[in-house]
Amino acid sequence: MRIELATEPGDPQRPNEDYASVALPASGEGGALVLLDGVTPPEEDCGCVHSVPWFTARLGGAMLELSVSHRDMTLPEALAAAVRRVGDAHRDTCDLSHPRTPQATVVAARWSGEVVEHLVLSDSVLLLEKADGSVHPVQDTRLADLPAPVPALRAAVRALPRGSAERAAAAREYVRAVEALRNAEGGFFTAAADPAVAARAVTGTTPRAALRSLTALSDGASRWVEVFGAGSWDRCAALVAAGGPRALIERVRALEADDPECAAFPRGKARDDAAVVHVAP
Ligand SMILES: [Zn+2]
């Protein structure tokens, strides 16, 4: 079995808000991976005295532990229990009903000798490389496909001159519209403080013999495909398989460095935290 992972902060001066882990319990052929991307909180109060890395370390640790030690639980059940456990760790000190309470995207996969289960919530990606070499991205597309007026507002921001007051005002309006859809019906969902969100995740099961590899990516790594259009998901999986997770992150950093103003490739952050987990079970 080949397992490789890498993660790197977008800004070396700031804590990495991605979380990447793999567990291989001693009981045989099984294992699990968990990759989270913590959501950067706004400048203003988010109702919590803790940091995003505090949250992702607890949520990711709980999710990994429950996935491998409670094989009778489904991955959504493990995620719900993990969210509940983290909530219990700070509901006495923090306002967990705040819409910007610490939260994260989730990718999880668990394999046995027979099957590989997966779960994806929000905009991190899991690539399933099938035995025939084809690559299938598992994605929760709710954030990419937000309803009106979000697409029109996004287009309006991008049409205005960079650095202008008009663009800044349009950007604030766009962000307000997106935030109104955060963990709201018809919008997009992240793992925050409500365990019920686990039922919203994209899940599936694949016979293990039908899979050649799994690659989990935070959006700071998947931007190689989704923002920079540097290659297909097939090429992305092949790049990781050949050069390891670091090879993909280095390619992303080079593309980011070539477009520091986000002019050619519009994106929310010039450089983002990036995490990649590759498992060939
Ligand atoms: Zn807190």
Side-chain angles (χ1 to χ4, degrees):
M1 177 177 302
R2 177 178 165 213
I3 294 172
E4 292 182 70
L5 68 173
T7 182
E8 188 187 282
D11 177 352
Q13 308 302 322
R14 286 180 50 85
N16 188 343
E17 294 173 344
D18 285 1
Y19 172 97
S21 64
V22 176
L24 300 171
S27 54
E29 304 167 293
L33 71 84
V34 174
L35 179 147
L36 311 180
D37 179 354
V39 177
T40 307
E43 298 288 319
E44 64 267 27
D45 175 55
C46 64
C48 176
V49 300
H50 302 95
S51 66
V52 172
W54 177 93
F55 177 82
T56 52
R58 273 158 188 76
L59 183 65
M63 181 67 190
L64 189 69
E65 189 264 316
L66 291 164
S67 299
V68 295
S69 68
H70 292 270
R71 299 198 75 102
D72 54 318
M73 295 172 92
T74 64
L75 292 179
E77 287 168 349
L79 177 58
V83 167
R84 204 173 292 116
R85 190 188 286 181
V86 181
D88 289 344
H90 69 145
R91 72 176 77 256
D92 291 343
T93 53
C94 305
D95 172 16
L96 303 194
S97 69
H98 196 291
R100 298 307 300 266
T101 189
Q103 53 202 271
T105 75
V106 182
V107 174
R110 174 171 63 188
W111 54 94
S112 66
E114 290 75 42
V115 296
V116 178
E117 301 157 83
H118 65 257
L119 175 152
V120 175
L121 182 68
S122 198
D123 62 353
S124 296
V125 185
L126 179 67
L127 303 180
L128 303 177
E129 184 193 5
K130 299 292 179 69
D132 65 5
S134 63
V135 173
H136 297 256
V138 180
Q139 293 181 280
D140 171 1
T141 56
R142 291 181 187 99
L143 185 57
D145 298 335
L146 288 177
V150 170
L153 291 173
R154 185 193 296 123
V157 173
R158 291 181 178 170
L160 288 163
R162 305 186 62 79
S164 67
E166 292 81 2
R167 183 170 171 132
R172 283 193 296 276
E173 193 185 346
Y174 164 70
V175 168
R176 264 197 305 278
V178 172
E179 290 306 316
L181 294 166
R182 179 181 295 280
N183 290 315
E185 203 58 52
F188 65 102
F189 296 89
T190 59
D194 179 9
V197 79
R200 310 268 188 176
V202 175
T203 59
T205 302
T206 312
R208 180 163 162 173
L211 278 185
R212 191 182 289 172
S213 75
L214 305 164
T215 303
L217 310 164
S218 69
D219 70 335
S222 67
R223 55 173 47 189
W224 189 77
V225 174
E226 296 182 299
V227 174
F228 293 107
S232 62
W233 292 120
D234 291 47
R235 289 277 306 121
C236 182
L239 176 59
V240 174
R246 281 231 63 82
L248 177 60
I249 294 176
E250 282 165 12
R251 299 276 185 107
V252 169
R253 292 290 178 247
L255 290 162
E256 289 168 335
D258 285 346
D259 182 37
E261 302 299 325
C262 311
F265 301 101
R267 54 198 193 274
K269 295 173 181 172
R271 289 164 54 101
D272 197 4
D273 299 339
V276 180
V277 180
H278 179 74
V279 177

